[in-house]
Amino acid sequence: MNVKVRLHQNIAILGSTGSIGTQTLEVIASYPDRFTAAYLTVNNNIPLLLRQVERFRPKGVVVLDPAAAETVRSRCGPEVEVLTGPEGLSDVVRRTEVDTVVSALVGFAGLRPTVDAITAGKRIALANKETLVVAGSVMMPLAERHNVRLLPVDSEHSAIFQCLTGEPAGSVTRIILTASGGPFRSLSANELRTVTVEQALKHPNWSMGSKITIDSATLMNKGLEVIEAHWLFGMPAERIDVVVHPQSIIHSMVEFADGSVKAQLGVPDMTIPIQYALTYPDRFPTPTRRVDFPSLREMTFFSPDTERFPCLRLAYDALRAGGTMPAVLNAANEVAVARFLAGAVPFTQIPVLIETAMDRHVLRENPTLEDIVEADGWTRDILSTF
Ligand code: NAD
Ligand code: MG
């Protein structure tokens, strides 16, 4: 499949004020001759958006809330177009001057604009893993039809993508995703019952948005990544393994038919996979720290414990079940994480809520996009009574 390599890329960032969005802007700022931030889109962080507009002078912005959009309009002047709502997202990703869309909204909200960007034939740097989890069966054929390659931003998938470069199709026997294990790796099942939101938001190696940080603490993030890897690399569930590697230096590995294993290593810094998704197949210099092996001293590996962290098992179950089940897993997880962050349920209730929704769901095979949207809504409805 072709990837359009252009000397200059006009980029639309879905979620420019988020962790991935702001780091994408740092990459863009370091190569002004190669990249322009053409469109920025945000949910509600208006002060940061205004600073970004000042610095990057985009052609347009999308602000989800119409009232907040009015404020932005009055502050930015006529040279910056201000759009609103989900329609605004779908509009800007299709603009002819946009070459690349960085899909970095969090959660199910990213699905529609990512599908629209694929349909418009844009180069896609994909951070929003939830869209592939819920709709991989729709998005992968769609991308193929439109000759679009989904370039992974997620560090594990970027690692696998890099390990696969130059290797013949059919030579891979196993994908091994590494996981940091999160902040609660060493806690007992009993101790997990009383962990606080504040403790869960302290990730040992990465600084990320709150939803993915909680997903990392439950190991659901790794579960979502197993499903993401299934779609991106065409691997069945039984050939995708997870190994806990607390140092987060090996970002993932690929095992080949001859028993050889390739790994991609680097310091935990998301600007590396973000930039690679934008420059692929080129590699440009970055100012990031380098791996200093002597000071690392050791790299350790453990099997994940799905008794203490059932979310990982639930994700494998959803992948094996197929159809609309991953959409139910994802929606239930979004609901459960939001409740935990609001202080409404304990940490250990997150997998219980997800399993409740999955148990009740009558799955639909070969779902359309509408079936997936419906399964997402069904899950949110059913959980409102629990
Ligand atoms: P974040 O919460 O920091 O940022 C989310 C962005 O999306 C913000 O700009 C916000 O304004 C916008 N947004 C949120 N909800 C929206 C909605 N309903 N409509 C429109 N805009 C909305 O999240 P993040 O950590 O940057 O993660 C973004 C995505 O990238 C997630 O899917 C996450 O799993 C994935 N990812 C993140 C990292 C990381 O290091 N942060 C690593 C790998 C993958
Ligand atoms: Mg990841």
Side-chain angles (χ1 to χ4, degrees):
M1 194 165 300
N2 291 327
V3 172
K4 288 173 220 145
V5 182
R6 302 190 187 197
L7 281 182
H8 185 91
Q9 294 176 56
N10 280 317
I11 300 175
I13 305 178
L14 300 176
S16 67
T17 53
S19 161
I20 294 291
T22 50
Q23 293 180 87
T24 302
L25 283 170
E26 290 316 313
V27 171
I28 289 175
S30 62
Y31 287 101
D33 326 336
R34 289 291 297 243
F35 307 126
T36 299
Y39 291 94
L40 305 179
T41 89
V42 306
N43 188 15
N44 54 17
N45 189 343
I46 304 306
L48 179 54
L49 173 68
L50 290 172
R51 289 202 298 281
Q52 293 179 340
V53 167
E54 177 110 352
R55 181 167 168 210
F56 291 94
R57 296 266 135 224
K59 284 174 91 73
V61 299
V62 182
V63 181
L64 202 64
D65 173 47
E70 241 357 278
T71 314
V72 175
R73 229 171 247 131
S74 65
R75 295 281 298 276
C76 289
E79 66 273 22
V80 181
E81 185 184 1
V82 181
L83 300 93
T84 64
E87 322 74 64
L89 297 176
S90 294
D91 182 337
V92 297
V93 298
R94 294 197 185 103
R95 298 279 170 100
T96 44
E97 69 270 29
V98 171
D99 304 301
T100 301
V101 172
V102 176
S103 173
L105 298 191
V106 56
F108 190 77
L111 176 61
R112 186 63 70 176
T114 306
V115 165
D116 292 333
I118 295 172
T119 309
K122 306 302 184 188
R123 180 181 168 115
I124 312 272
L126 185 73
N128 178 246
K129 65 191 84 184
E130 294 92 340
T131 63
L132 266 187
V133 169
V134 303
S137 61
V138 173
M139 285 171 71
M140 295 314 290
L142 188 72
E144 196 164 327
R145 259 204 316 284
H146 291 277
N147 203 23
V148 163
R149 186 153 200 178
L150 302 174
L151 295 152
V153 167
D154 214 345
S155 57
E156 294 77 1
H157 305 76
S158 178
I160 295 161
F161 182 57
Q162 294 179 55
C163 291
L164 291 175
T165 298
E167 297 292 347
S171 60
V172 177
T173 46
R174 193 161 60 116
I175 281 175
I176 305 148
L177 292 169
T178 51
S180 71
F184 305 142
R185 183 172 61 82
S186 321
L187 298 194
S188 69
N190 215 19
E191 287 168 321
L192 283 175
R193 283 180 220 283
T194 53
V195 296
T196 64
V197 171
E198 200 191 3
Q199 289 167 326
L201 284 175
K202 279 208 189 90
H203 193 279
N205 303 335
W206 302 94
S207 161
M208 311 178 286
S210 55
K211 193 259 178 184
I212 182 176
T213 306
I214 303 303
D215 287 347
S216 300
T218 61
L219 286 200
M220 180 55 93
N221 183 49
K222 214 46 56 181
L224 300 178
E225 290 182 355
V226 167
I227 304 177
E228 184 185 12
H230 163 76
W231 290 115
L232 282 175
F233 308 113
M235 274 282 133
E238 59 277 11
R239 283 162 59 189
I240 306 174
D241 286 350
V242 171
V243 66
V244 176
H245 163 48
Q247 295 81 11
S248 297
I249 294 295
I250 295 181
H251 297 308
S252 278
M253 301 179 259
V254 176
E255 180 195 84
F256 295 91
D258 57 0
S260 188
V261 176
K262 278 167 88 173
Q264 186 263 348
L265 288 71
V267 295
D269 182 334
M270 285 306 294
T271 58
I272 300 173
I274 291 170
Q275 180 174 298
Y276 190 65
L278 295 179
T279 63
Y280 171 83
D282 292 330
R283 288 186 188 272
F284 291 177
T286 72
T288 54
R289 268 188 315 119
R290 305 290 141 144
V291 181
D292 177 35
F293 287 96
S295 75
L296 256 183
R297 298 218 316 274
E298 61 173 12
M299 291 201 282
T300 49
F301 303 94
F302 309 90
S303 288
D305 179 349
T306 54
E307 292 291 317
R308 282 182 302 136
F309 300 101
C311 286
L312 181 59
R313 170 179 60 76
L314 293 171
Y316 271 103
D317 289 349
L319 174 57
R320 290 204 178 90
T324 43
M325 197 57 92
V328 172
L329 171 94
N330 177 70
N333 182 54
E334 289 188 21
V335 170
V337 169
R339 277 193 207 171
F340 171 69
L341 282 170
V345 297
F347 184 76
T348 43
Q349 192 66 15
I350 295 173
V352 175
L353 287 168
I354 299 167
E355 195 154 20
T356 302
M358 285 173 65
D359 280 348
R360 271 152 219 261
H361 184 60
V362 181
L363 77 78
R364 189 166 283 203
E365 310 261 9
N366 305 315
T368 62
L369 207 52
E370 287 64 40
D371 295 333
I372 288 161
V373 173
E374 198 183 301
D376 176 88
W378 173 88
T379 310
R380 290 169 202 269
D381 279 351
I382 189 112
L383 284 182
S384 66
T385 62
F386 282 92

